[in-house]
Amino acid sequence: MSSMYFTEEHESFRQSFKEFLQKEVVPHIEKWEKEGTIERFIWKKVGEMGYFGLNTPEEYGGLDLDLFYTVIFLEELQKINSGGFAAAMWAHAYLAMTHLNKEGDDRIKKEYLVPSVEGEKIGCLCISEPFGGSDVAGMRTTAIKKGDSYILNGSKTFITNAVYSDYMVVAAKTQPELGNKGMSIFVIDSKTAGISVTKLDKLGWRASDTGEIAFDNVEIPAANLMGEEGKGFPYIMQHFALERLVMGINAHARSEYAIEYVLQYMSERVAFGKTIDKFQALRHKVADMASEVEVCKVFNYATAKRLNDGEYVVKEASMSKLVSTKVADQVAYDCLQLLGGYGYMEDYPMARLLRDSRLGPIGGGTSEILREIIAKMIIDKKDYKPVT
């Protein structure tokens, strides 16, 4: 099946990225997980290797490659047992940078996108709010036009890279009376007066810096509006398809890593005179897990192919995230069980993987919200369309 989607060039890229992660990232993971900070040097190394610019146009320093290079990037990041490190990398490259690439004008791309590709600037995407996580239309943050500027007030929460960031891509209502039709997108320097960030203490993703951001009369130059005023909501909805597919791919890759680790453990662990991979109850548990993960992976690859071909796959991407993250949570739980007491120990990878996995059904739209979106498309025949 892999040959349907991956060429020799893809596989060569996978091998080189694996080697990069093992050499440059893995030796630092334990430190970053304990300290809750990813050191700045690694962002520059990732940028120097071109990994942040896989799908960025060449004119802005990227490689303009097909989406399956991104699939590989995401999959391999999930196999070094730090959901936090992975999240910091893909939130920069596929949340913040996606908006710069799609809605930013030439000046914005040169000022923010080019150094993002190089790893010189780190970005974060600011949508979720304390009173409305998945309810994007209900956001309260405002950006009111005043002369040649907008004045931003409000707050955002659960923002990945909030503390690390050099710039923020922020959604706010420029005409609050119009509801979601009055929403716009801006790019703002993180050190702008009136911005304050508080780091949040999380169950998992310990290496990443999830933060709450407050905006107090922050002045944004009108030139930092991205795209058209009032089209922020459809821009966000359009890019959610990519974000949800990213999280679906993360989930199947994380599950594969867990199963691979457990298979190795089971082949070495002896009980009652034989390795535990010979016990039928455990063998069948692995068979169930591997089957569900493979189904998710095949669906995710097919959806990635359609997205790469230009289709608007909001339904399929929502299904990808809904099912793949649910399966990944169960796989993490079951794999921890298969390690017995060792699964509960922090010296083994399953405890962290279980914590990190739990974010899957929550971030980027909760499973409950996704079920309603899918139901609207299937039952109510709702037809979501891309921005024109």
Side-chain angles (χ1 to χ4, degrees), residues 74-187:
L74 297 170
E75 287 181 331
E76 296 308 320
L77 280 173
Q78 290 299 313
K79 297 180 179 181
I80 58 171
N81 201 31
S82 177
F85 177 80
M89 298 296 113
W90 63 254
H92 168 65
Y94 296 105
L95 299 188
M97 284 175 59
T98 292
H99 282 276
L100 295 178
N101 190 29
K102 298 297 184 181
E103 284 100 55
D105 59 22
D106 185 63
R107 179 195 65 83
I108 286 173
K109 287 177 180 177
K110 287 176 179 174
E111 190 171 333
Y112 295 97
L113 184 59
V114 171
S116 293
V117 169
E118 296 169 348
E120 295 292 337
K121 283 188 177 180
I122 301 168
C124 65
L125 177 62
C126 306
I127 295 176
S128 296
E129 297 190 356
F131 299 101
S134 295
D135 181 14
V136 177
M139 74 169 53
R140 303 181 185 182
T141 299
T142 60
I144 306 303
K145 189 79 177 286
K146 184 179 179 182
D148 293 331
S149 301
Y150 290 85
I151 306 301
L152 179 69
N153 283 285
S155 59
K156 303 290 181 180
T157 196
F158 309 137
I159 308 304
T160 302
N161 292 343
V163 180
Y164 300 150
S165 71
D166 300 292
Y167 66 87
M168 301 173 174
V169 175
V170 181
K173 287 183 175 174
T174 43
Q175 292 181 280
E177 69 277 6
L178 297 180
N180 63 21
K181 291 182 172 60
M183 192 181 299
S184 303
I185 299 282
F186 301 88
V187 61

Side-chain angles (χ1 to χ4, degrees), residues 40-60:
R40 192 80 185 199
F41 74 84
I42 196 61
W43 298 85
K44 293 180 181 178
K45 285 191 175 182
V46 174
E48 287 169 2
M49 295 297 293
Y51 298 134
F52 285 141
L54 297 177
N55 65 347
T56 303
E58 292 181 23
E59 63 183 304
Y60 297 108

Side-chain angles (χ1 to χ4, degrees), residues 330-372:
Q330 191 61 50
V331 167
Y333 184 94
D334 289 341
C335 283
L336 190 151
Q337 182 72 19
L338 289 171
L339 265 67
Y342 294 108
Y344 204 63
M345 299 295 109
E346 291 290 348
D347 290 338
Y348 288 72
M350 287 305 140
R352 180 188 300 162
L353 189 140
L354 182 68
R355 291 196 305 274
D356 286 353
S357 182
R358 194 61 192 85
L359 192 278
I362 298 171
T366 65
S367 294
E368 290 74 17
I369 292 294
L370 293 183
R371 288 188 182 98
E372 182 57 23

Side-chain angles (χ1 to χ4, degrees), residues 237 312 314 372-373 376-377 382-386:
M237 292 298 106
Y312 193 47
V314 63
E372 182 57 23
I373 290 170
K376 284 181 179 178
M377 288 184 276
K382 172 74 174 176
D383 186 20
Y384 293 98
K385 296 184 181 295

Side-chain angles (χ1 to χ4, degrees), residues 5 22 34 51 67 87 90 102 158 180-181 192 196 230 260 262 272 300 310 317 340-342 347 356 375:
Y5 304 108
Q22 289 300 318
K34 287 176 183 175
Y51 298 134
L67 196 58
W90 63 254
K102 298 297 184 181
F158 309 137
N180 63 21
K181 291 182 172 60
T192 303
S196 57
E260 287 168 8
V262 159
F272 305 103
N300 292 344
Y342 294 108
D347 290 338
D356 286 353

Side-chain angles (χ1 to χ4, degrees), residues 239-302:
H239 301 324
F240 267 165
L242 175 61
E243 180 180 357
R244 288 167 186 163
L245 181 58
V246 163
M247 295 192 74
I249 291 165
N250 287 342
H252 84 234
R254 185 165 62 248
S255 298
E256 284 189 320
Y257 167 76
I259 292 171
E260 287 168 8
Y261 184 87
V262 159
L263 288 176
Q264 182 63 35
Y265 175 85
M266 291 173 66
S267 72
E268 298 170 355
R269 177 82 163 108
V270 175
F272 305 103
K274 58 184 177 181
T275 55
I276 64 173
D277 59 1
K278 299 297 190 292
F279 290 95
Q280 187 182 72
L282 306 189
R283 291 164 67 86
H284 288 188
K285 174 60 70 177
V286 172
D288 284 342
M289 290 191 297
S291 298
E292 290 185 317
V293 172
E294 189 70 17
V295 169
C296 290
K297 182 167 75 167
V298 171
F299 180 77
N300 292 344
Y301 284 175

